[in-house]
Amino acid sequence: MKIIIAGLALIILIISCGNKTPTKFVETPLSKNYFIEIPIKFKKFKENSWKFPEHTYLGIVVANETASNLEDELKSYVNYYSSQEMFNGQTFVKKEKFEINGFKGLISYYEKDNKGKRLGLVNLKSYIVYAVIQDNTNRILLNSISFNNNINDDLSKSIKSIKLKKALVNKTQNDFDETKAQIEGFQVFKNENFIIKCKGKLLLDILRVEQLEQNGLSDNSKPFHVFVKGIDYNINVSDLSNVLEGQNKEELSKHNQEDLTYYQTKFDEMAIKNQRGKFKNIDAVYYQNSQENRQSKAVYFHHKMKSYMLQVTSKQNTDKLFNEFINSFEIIKL
């Protein structure tokens, strides 16, 4: 009798899952840089993991790197779970490929027959979803298992909803609220088209300006600096409009790429460790150097007709301080 009751309970569960009503989604942060719209019925129960009572589990991880081949990455991800009892014996159903909002992704759908798995009279299936999604800087791995087949459509919508956190770089002049930015802790540099957070007040470095004047560079470079609690923060903004005025988008892009390559060549000559990468989806050069037990980390990039250099120097925690500093940087459109 107990077996029959258990079987009936599972049948009721399946029927209730089949009576699908429109799903409501809620925007959920994955990390400080990404959001995803997850069905509102999901509840977070530990880091990177969600579930809801209908025996459905969801895991999402943001990895700080990209994969060179999404097909291989997805295959490796599926193989990792296939060795676990819950997923062992799964059967491939279909694969879906997509590109949206600057992301590329692959989704694989599997089913598993749980007949004989202590489920009484009910032949219940598990529905399994794997996905690998990435932009230019990170990849996101998603895995779900459920007794509810209807969840697959919701998960497909969730996966394709992943997006970057809305940044001030996309705001127009009317959207930018200087007072609000200051309340949120940003220092505002309207003439240089950016805002940033820093532990100390960044001021124009008069000494360096005088040095630049002696070298005939006073018209196009502005160095900002603060030294606080043993940490050096530096920003240098160069206005290149005198050189680039009148050039079209392709010409500007070519100039910027050549300039980054030139800087890398010079760094190589000086044995300064450097690498090409992306900063806020902008082509950039990252470089670092150590001297007298102090480490410097910096990023150099172009935006329109300006070049920017952001640098942090300290004796300890340089990586953390540097990432906090540059991640708070936003271009403002005036």
Side-chain angles (χ1 to χ4, degrees):
M1 178 63 69
K2 289 183 178 179
I3 293 176
I4 294 175
I5 293 173
L8 290 174
L10 285 170
I11 291 172
I12 293 170
L13 172 63
I14 295 169
I15 293 173
S16 67
C17 291
N19 295 330
K20 187 176 181 182
T21 57
T23 302
K24 294 182 179 180
F25 293 81
V26 58
E27 191 172 69
T28 305
L30 290 181
S31 68
K32 61 185 177 184
N33 294 324
Y34 298 100
F35 282 109
I36 185 172
E37 293 183 7
I38 291 180
I40 197 166
K41 53 193 170 185
F42 276 98
K43 304 299 179 184
K44 191 168 186 177
F45 70 99
K46 63 179 181 179
E47 190 68 24
N48 304 320
S49 299
W50 291 259
K51 67 179 179 180
F52 71 89
E54 296 168 359
H55 304 284
T56 299
Y57 296 87
L58 172 66
I60 309 175
V61 176
V62 179
N64 296 320
E65 57 184 356
T66 58
S68 58
N69 187 306
L70 286 184
E71 292 278 358
D72 291 343
E73 180 69 14
L74 181 61
K75 182 179 179 180
S76 175
Y77 192 43
V78 173
N79 287 341
Y80 169 78
Y81 279 96
S82 296
S83 63
Q84 301 180 28
E85 183 179 358
M86 186 180 296
F87 300 89
N88 187 259
Q90 62 189 7
T91 303
F92 174 75
V93 177
K94 65 177 181 177
K95 185 185 294 182
E96 187 177 353
K97 185 177 182 179
F98 69 91
E99 291 188 27
I100 190 170
N101 299 327
F103 291 86
K104 294 181 180 180
L106 286 175
I107 310 172
S108 279
Y109 300 88
Y110 288 77
E111 292 181 0
K112 180 185 176 184
D113 190 342
N114 295 302
K115 186 176 181 179
K117 301 294 183 180
R118 300 183 298 278
L119 296 176
L121 300 178
V122 180
N123 180 16
L124 195 64
K125 285 187 177 181
S126 294
Y127 299 92
I128 304 165
V129 177
Y130 303 96
V132 178
I133 315 101
Q134 71 180 24
D135 57 10
N136 291 323
T137 55
N138 299 296
R139 77 180 187 281
I140 300 166
L141 305 172
L142 180 145
N143 166 255
S144 173
I145 186 167
S146 176
F147 287 158
N148 178 6
N149 187 28
N150 291 327
I151 196 65
N152 284 0
D153 290 337
D154 290 341
L155 287 176
S156 178
K157 292 178 182 178
S158 290
I159 292 165
K160 295 171 186 176
S161 75
I162 291 175
K163 60 185 177 181
L164 280 169
K165 183 178 181 181
K166 292 179 181 178
L168 292 177
V169 67
N170 295 320
K171 292 185 178 290
T172 65
Q173 182 176 9
N174 292 332
D175 290 327
F176 176 61
D177 187 331
E178 183 175 355
T179 301
K180 181 181 178 182
Q182 290 174 337
I183 291 173
E184 291 176 349
F186 287 97
Q187 295 181 38
V188 179
F189 298 82
K190 293 177 68 174
N191 292 334
E192 287 71 41
N193 303 107
F194 74 92
I195 61 175
I196 196 165
K197 293 181 179 180
C198 185
K199 297 180 183 295
K201 179 67 174 176
L202 287 157
L203 299 173
L204 190 64
D205 192 330
I206 302 300
L207 179 59
R208 287 188 61 194
V209 169
E210 292 176 352
Q211 293 173 339
L212 289 169
E213 287 177 348
Q214 294 173 7
N215 290 281
L217 299 175
S218 59
D219 290 337
N220 68 348
S221 291
K222 288 188 177 179
F224 299 91
H225 169 258
V226 66
F227 180 80
V228 55
K229 295 182 179 180
I231 308 164
D232 272 302
Y233 294 93
N234 286 282
I235 299 178
N236 193 81
V237 184
S238 294
D239 187 345
L240 307 175
S241 57
N242 289 339
V243 177
L244 302 176
E245 192 68 45
Q247 294 192 16
N248 59 36
K249 185 177 180 180
E250 288 74 23
E251 290 170 330
L252 286 174
S253 178
K254 181 181 178 182
H255 174 274
N256 294 346
Q257 292 299 319
E258 290 176 347
D259 190 51
L260 294 181
T261 300
Y262 169 79
Y263 268 80
Q264 282 193 283
T265 301
K266 291 299 179 184
F267 291 146
D268 289 341
E269 291 175 357
M270 295 183 286
I272 294 176
K273 185 178 179 181
N274 66 90
Q275 65 178 9
R276 204 73 158 250
K278 291 285 185 179
F279 173 70
K280 308 272 184 174
N281 287 324
I282 301 171
D283 290 330
V285 173
Y286 291 82
Y287 58 98
Q288 58 184 313
N289 193 34
S290 297
Q291 190 174 13
E292 297 179 355
N293 296 322
R294 289 169 62 82
Q295 184 183 27
S296 293
K297 297 197 71 172
V299 60
Y300 175 78
F301 58 95
H302 286 253
H303 183 265
K304 295 188 176 179
M305 294 191 184
K306 287 186 172 70
S307 68
Y308 297 83
M309 185 279 297
L310 312 179
Q311 178 178 286
V312 174
T313 303
S314 69
K315 288 186 176 181
Q316 56 186 359
N317 299 323
T318 309
D319 287 349
K320 179 177 182 293
L321 294 167
F322 176 68
N323 289 330
E324 288 176 350
F325 187 54
I326 67 171
N327 287 337
S328 73
F329 175 94
E330 298 290 353
I331 295 288
I332 56 174
K333 191 174 181 180
L334 300 174

